[in-house]
Amino acid sequence: MTNAAYYLLSVVQPAEGTPPDAEGMARITEHLQAFHQELKDAGAWVFAGGLAAPGTATVLRDKNGEVLTTDGPYIESKEYLGGLCIVKAPDLDAALEWGRKALRATTLPIEVRPFHGHVDE
């Protein structure tokens, strides 16, 4: 794939609600593994991973040259970033198609954005 752009597929996780049971989570994991393999087979795979809940975060802030740390999320939100995938795609339409497949695999909303930055391959 020459002159490919890079896109971020963000998994939007609801902050409230009931998480899937063990069987549902196993099914989602299986679908995600198949989606990631499809990306690899197509040469579109760059990177993917999930994130722990926002309560596990530590926020660093600069305060007059000193670094302050705060446990937990910085902002309250109805949704948070639950995972991400960086893909190679020739254009936005192709990236949106990967986003559709990610939506079907995760059953969660997917945000697609151009990714700016260097990607080692």
Side-chain angles (χ1 to χ4, degrees), residues 17-117:
T18 306
D21 61 16
E23 184 179 305
M25 196 62 202
R27 192 170 39 256
I28 290 169
T29 299
E30 183 180 314
H31 292 164
L32 271 173
Q33 289 172 343
F35 170 64
H36 291 163
Q37 188 59 53
E38 185 177 355
L39 284 167
K40 290 173 185 176
D41 292 346
W45 171 267
V46 176
F47 175 82
L51 298 171
T56 64
T58 301
V59 179
L60 306 175
R61 293 185 192 88
D62 180 290
K63 177 89 175 192
N64 300 322
E66 292 191 39
V67 177
L68 301 178
T69 61
T70 306
D71 292 336
Y74 178 63
I75 55 176
E76 295 294 323
S77 177
K78 292 181 182 182
E79 301 172 327
Y80 63 90
L81 180 61
L84 58 94
C85 185
I86 306 293
V87 300
K88 290 185 283 187
D91 55 35
L92 178 59
D93 288 336
L96 290 172
E97 184 56 34
W98 286 121
R100 285 181 192 93
K101 292 178 181 195
L103 168 68
R104 289 192 291 274
T106 65
T107 70
L108 292 169
I110 302 293
E111 179 184 78
V112 178
R113 283 195 223 184
F115 179 79
H116 300 291

